[in-house]
Amino acid sequence: MATPETFDKITMFGAAWCSDCRRSKALLDRLGVDYDYVDVEHVEDGAARAEAISGRKNIPVIVFPDASHFVEPTDAELEAKLQETAA
């Protein structure tokens, strides 16, 4: 599902209770990635924005400036995409 929303930098939609979110956030932090974090439980339209981007209710949703996104990526998938976008 396409969305007209664009992102200038990597943006992660997640929640503190989500183990996949904590794992992806820890990877981004460990690698020193500059990203925005949207807590879907505390940002009024956060969950709706994440669902509009991914077409699913699953989190994390990680959006890249090239308009691609991942839903529940593995660490390997996320790290490969980060290396690709840094090149």
Side-chain angles (χ1 to χ4, degrees):
M1 177 186 234
T3 176
E5 188 169 9
T6 59
F7 298 87
D8 293 332
K9 66 180 178 180
I10 294 169
T11 302
M12 178 178 158
F13 293 83
W17 52 262
C18 169
S19 61
D20 286 333
C21 298
R22 290 192 307 268
R23 181 182 43 74
S24 291
K25 191 172 189 308
L27 177 65
L28 293 171
D29 290 342
R30 187 171 65 250
L31 296 175
V33 174
D34 181 28
Y35 67 98
D36 287 330
Y37 181 75
V38 179
D39 187 322
V40 299
E41 297 228 302
H42 292 77
V43 174
E44 185 176 328
D45 64 345
R49 288 171 60 204
E51 186 176 352
I53 292 162
S54 69
R56 300 166 54 185
K57 292 188 181 292
N58 306 60
I59 53 173
V61 174
I62 303 173
V63 187
F64 299 89
D66 68 2
S68 65
H69 70 274
F70 283 141
V71 180
E72 298 179 319
T74 65
D75 283 354
E77 291 169 328
L78 182 53
E79 195 161 359
K81 177 65 176 181
L82 293 169
Q83 289 175 354
E84 173 191 313
T85 58

